[in-house]
Amino acid sequence: MRLIREFFAALQRALEKPEIEDRTKAIHQLYLQYLGDYEFYQNATVEEAIEAISHFPEEQRLYRLEMLAELYYAEAGVRVHPIGETLLQRALPLFEYVDKHSKLYSFDRKRKMEEIQHRIHHTE
């Protein structure tokens, strides 16, 4: 739990940066710090990303998947279409996976899933 609290605090600090370029750099750094190579996660399918997370200890995997979903979601907010939409399309199945397998109910996760579905369906 400490790991996830640290991650969300770092993500919040990244999103508070006034310049989009600074926010983007901070988000890229969070990929590296908490998950691994940024480029890998930008090019990986959802299945490949889930597989990559399997190298973490079992008790951390669900948290790491949620971190990845949050990073995709956050980065989508600073990217233009179509990259932003692609990131949302990657975030949604990860949020759904975490939601299905997590023992913790999250109103925030549910809200983000609904928002992503709404945004995806209104840009098609």
Side-chain angles (χ1 to χ4, degrees):
M1 287 302 279
R2 189 180 110 250
L3 177 71
I4 197 91
R5 283 192 301 270
E6 288 174 2
F7 168 78
F8 277 107
L11 181 59
Q12 184 62 38
R13 286 189 302 275
L15 295 175
E16 290 173 351
K17 295 193 180 288
E19 299 294 324
I20 289 179
E21 184 176 320
D22 293 336
R23 265 185 261 158
T24 302
K25 286 180 184 177
I27 289 170
H28 291 190
Q29 186 61 35
L30 291 174
Y31 278 95
L32 184 60
Q33 183 177 350
Y34 289 95
L35 297 167
D37 183 51
Y38 171 78
E39 293 300 323
F40 169 78
Y41 287 104
Q42 291 306 295
N43 296 312
T45 65
V46 172
E47 294 78 16
E48 290 169 336
I50 290 172
E51 178 64 29
I53 298 294
S54 69
H55 81 273
F56 288 103
E58 187 174 347
E59 66 275 3
Q60 292 182 11
R61 290 177 191 157
L62 210 52
Y63 295 126
R64 301 283 180 163
L65 286 173
E66 187 162 22
M67 289 177 197
L68 180 57
E70 290 287 348
L71 287 169
Y72 283 152
Y73 178 81
E75 190 173 6
V78 297
R79 296 295 206 115
V80 295
H81 183 76
I83 296 170
E85 184 176 333
T86 299
L87 291 166
L88 290 176
Q89 289 172 345
R90 290 181 182 165
L92 183 58
L94 293 173
F95 277 130
E96 290 171 339
Y97 183 91
V98 170
D99 194 59
K100 180 179 178 182
H101 293 92
S102 178
K103 295 177 184 169
L104 300 174
Y105 184 87
S106 171
F107 287 107
D108 187 51
R109 186 184 318 121
K110 292 286 191 186
R111 179 191 58 76
K112 287 176 182 172
M113 289 166 47
E114 288 176 12
E115 177 191 335
I116 292 169
Q117 289 171 344
H118 177 77
R119 287 173 63 181
I120 290 172
H121 293 312
H122 281 75
T123 57
E124 292 179 344

